């Protein structure tokens, strides 16, 4: 069995090379080649032919295949569907902002959290992504798009804290100065609220931004749309958020998708305001994306305005997230599902360009 070399940390590479009787600096050379997206050991031109063939016998290099690329004609958002070595497909989205390019990556193939409004969870969890596969999402999106990636959000398919060890390793790899060198402060991780894992993450004391997909301030509403809330509850979640903030000093964000008639009443707004103030959290309101298989609708503009007015009055900072890539199904497993269905009706809206 060959080993996945791109999932190895530089110090592990050093050890492996030492066993092959090679000097330490070889590890750095190889790590750098891998971070440039080479697809074979033969491309590592500063290594001897002998070493290249030994490496090829022991290790493999992951290279995802782009099976679909859609470019938004409205805002330039790019959505990739990558095929992995075992045939599974994952989505990655590249968004351009004034301050740089952000890549939104998947952390699992599918998801087992079962949120009622989300497309990613419909087929359940297939498997966790390897650290190399998450790194490839960033790396090959950058190479293919030609857009230097400055920010990463773990908000694609999957629950990152349900793939904890691989995600931690991915963060270490992507953050490494000899690799892509993306600063922790430029990385956001979003979770449906696995409280025990939030505490574990706090222990790591990383400088990343933690986003909590809150979507409801009370247990009745939250448990109805987010099974992860059952058996945990909002109170425990807020306690974990407070501990995270105390430990890391990093302000948390609450994600709140506005769903018509479900979580958008004045009472919900006041409940949300109370939680945000107690956890010193920033609130990100998201207009719900319509998912074909789901019965939910986005809140009306009137309800949205009323909701924001109440948050303002209660003294809570909130932003309404700009909707990027709505014409390329750029959210939450929608492209993967369309590609998976045999009667692919994906028209990708008329204003999208397929490449
Ligand atoms: N599992 C993680 C990250 C992936 S989802 C999490 O739950 O946070 C990224 C964000 O999109 C989450 O806030 C999720 O709740 C939200 N989301 C899922 N489906 C959505 C939809 N149809 N419209 C708007 N936001 C949605």
């Amino acid at each position: 069995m060959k080993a996945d070399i791109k999932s190895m940390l530089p110090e592990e590479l050093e050890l492996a090379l030492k066993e092959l009787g090679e000097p330490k600096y070889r590890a750095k050379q190889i790590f750098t080649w891998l971070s440039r997206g080479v697809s074979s050991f033969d491309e590592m031109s500063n290594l001897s032919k002998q070493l290249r063939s030994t490496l090829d016998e022991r290790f493999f290099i992951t290279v995802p295949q782009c099976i679909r690329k859609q470019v938004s004609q409205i805002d330039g958002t790019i959505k990739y569907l990558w095929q992995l070595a075992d045939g599974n497909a994952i989505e990655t989205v590249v968004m351009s902002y004034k301050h740089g390019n952000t890549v939104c990556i998947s952390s699992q193939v599918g998801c087992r959290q079962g949120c009622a409004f989300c497309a990613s969870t419909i087929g359940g969890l297939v498997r966790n992504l390897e650290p190399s596969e998450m790194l490839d999402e960033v790396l090959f999106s950058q190479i293919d798009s030609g857009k230097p990636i400055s920010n990463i959000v773990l908000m694609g398919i999957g629950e990152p804290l349900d793939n904890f060890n691989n995600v931690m390793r991915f963060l270490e790899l992507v953050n490494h100065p000899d690799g892509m060198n993306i600063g922790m402060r430029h990385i956001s991780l979003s979770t449906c609220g696995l409280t025990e894992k939030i505490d574990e993450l706090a222990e790591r004391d990383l400088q990343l931004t933690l986003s909590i997909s809150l979507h409801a301030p009370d247990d009745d509403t939250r448990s109805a749309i987010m099974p992860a809330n059952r058996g945990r509850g909002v109170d425990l979640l807020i306690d974990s958020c407070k501990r995270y903030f105390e430990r890391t000093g990093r302000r948390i964000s609450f994600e709140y998708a506005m769903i018509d008639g479900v979580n958008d009443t004045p009472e919900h707004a006041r409940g949300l305001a109370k939680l945000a103030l107690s956890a010193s959290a920033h609130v990100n309101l998201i207009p719900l994306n319509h998912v074909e298989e789901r019965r939910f609708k986005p809140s009306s503009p009137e309800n949205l305005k009323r909701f924001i007015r109440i948050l303002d009055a209660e003294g809570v900072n909130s932003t309404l997230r700009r909707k990027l890539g709505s014409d390329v199904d750029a959210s939450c497993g929608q492209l993967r599902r369309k590609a998976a269905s045999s009667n692919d009706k994906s028209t990708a809206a008329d204003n999208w360009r397929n490449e």
Side-chain angles (χ1 to χ4, degrees):
M1 272 278 276
K2 292 189 184 186
D4 173 8
I5 195 164
K6 217 185 277 176
S7 288
M8 290 168 74
L9 297 169
E11 53 270 28
E12 292 169 338
L13 263 180
E14 274 177 21
L15 219 72
L17 281 144
K18 200 171 160 198
E19 279 167 20
L20 295 174
E22 292 287 334
K24 219 173 154 178
Y25 68 85
R26 291 272 179 245
K28 188 172 167 170
Q29 287 176 323
I30 295 168
F31 190 74
T32 307
W33 280 115
L34 293 171
S35 308
R36 286 189 203 154
V38 296
S39 56
S40 74
F41 291 104
D42 264 342
E43 289 169 61
M44 303 185 177
S45 54
N46 53 0
L47 308 185
S48 70
K49 255 203 146 117
Q50 174 64 44
L51 178 58
R52 285 186 247 163
S53 97
T54 310
L55 290 172
D56 193 43
E57 279 160 23
R58 294 172 188 233
F59 302 101
F60 65 87
I61 301 175
T62 52
V63 182
Q65 300 303 315
C66 177
I67 46 177
R68 188 141 174 194
K69 176 183 179 185
Q70 295 180 330
V71 185
S72 167
Q73 308 251 298
I74 302 171
D75 54 43
T77 299
I78 307 175
K79 179 140 180 164
Y80 291 101
L81 188 68
W82 302 108
Q83 187 166 46
L84 307 173
D86 66 355
N88 277 305
I90 51 165
E91 296 174 14
T92 309
V93 180
V94 179
M95 297 159 287
S96 298
Y97 297 96
K98 276 190 221 96
H99 60 266
N101 301 307
T102 297
V103 65
C104 174
I105 67 163
S106 301
S107 55
Q108 297 180 309
V109 180
C111 183
R112 59 173 172 166
Q113 303 305 323
C115 295
F117 44 84
C118 181
S120 304
T121 198
I122 292 171
L125 176 68
V126 179
R127 70 168 172 88
N128 283 328
L129 288 185
E130 296 299 324
S132 55
E133 292 170 325
M134 289 180 263
L135 193 64
D136 283 344
E137 292 185 70
V138 186
L139 189 54
F140 288 97
S141 298
Q142 173 170 284
I143 291 172
D144 183 90
S145 68
K147 296 179 179 205
I149 301 296
S150 48
N151 296 276
I152 301 173
V153 296
L154 283 120
M155 290 192 183
I157 298 172
E159 166 51 48
L161 296 186
D162 188 38
N163 184 14
F164 193 85
N165 292 339
N166 287 352
V167 166
M168 292 305 115
R169 186 173 270 262
F170 155 71
L171 291 174
E172 210 172 318
L173 289 167
V174 82
N175 179 236
H176 200 283
D178 296 334
M180 296 197 77
N181 196 16
I182 296 182
M184 282 293 172
R185 284 175 180 255
H186 294 262
I187 301 176
S188 294
L189 185 152
S190 180
T191 175
C192 64
L194 307 183
T195 46
E196 60 292 353
K197 296 291 180 188
I198 293 173
D199 285 330
E200 219 177 313
L201 184 66
E203 283 310 305
R204 307 268 172 148
D205 198 9
L206 303 174
Q207 286 299 293
L208 54 76
T209 300
L210 181 64
S211 291
I212 306 289
S213 298
L214 192 62
H215 303 320
D218 60 276
D219 282 331
D220 282 349
T221 314
R222 194 161 195 270
S223 291
I225 53 176
M226 300 183 71
N229 194 63
R230 301 171 199 158
R232 292 189 176 94
V234 172
D235 286 349
L236 282 184
L237 177 56
I238 299 303
D239 286 347
S240 294
C241 291
K242 287 180 186 165
R243 283 194 291 274
Y244 187 89
F245 181 48
E246 274 162 27
R247 175 72 209 251
T248 64
R250 301 286 294 162
R251 192 178 284 277
I252 286 181
S253 291
F254 286 159
E255 305 293 311
Y256 201 101
M258 298 286 295
I259 313 175
D260 185 44
V262 174
N263 64 357
D264 60 352
T265 66
E267 198 186 339
H268 289 121
R270 284 189 289 270
L272 171 60
K274 209 168 141 206
L275 297 182
L277 290 172
S278 81
S280 319
H282 181 88
V283 172
N284 255 326
L285 296 174
I286 315 166
L288 183 82
N289 269 301
H290 177 70
V291 174
E292 232 166 70
E293 294 89 339
R294 304 302 207 191
R295 62 196 150 86
F296 298 108
K297 289 201 310 261
S299 298
S300 64
E302 297 73 46
N303 279 1
L304 188 61
K305 270 189 217 134
R306 181 180 64 185
F307 204 87
I308 295 173
R309 263 204 310 274
I310 295 171
L311 292 180
D312 276 351
E314 301 281 333
V316 172
N317 283 329
S318 72
T319 41
L320 184 60
R321 189 182 289 167
R322 198 152 61 94
K323 213 168 160 175
L324 289 178
S326 51
D327 53 339
V328 277
D329 303 317
S331 76
C332 313
Q334 296 184 42
L335 184 63
R336 173 173 163 263
R337 285 204 53 74
K338 285 190 173 173
S341 73
S342 52
N343 58 340
D344 186 353
K345 299 189 292 291
S346 160
T347 51
D350 294 338
N351 42 6
W352 277 85
R353 186 158 40 91
N354 278 299
E355 292 202 339

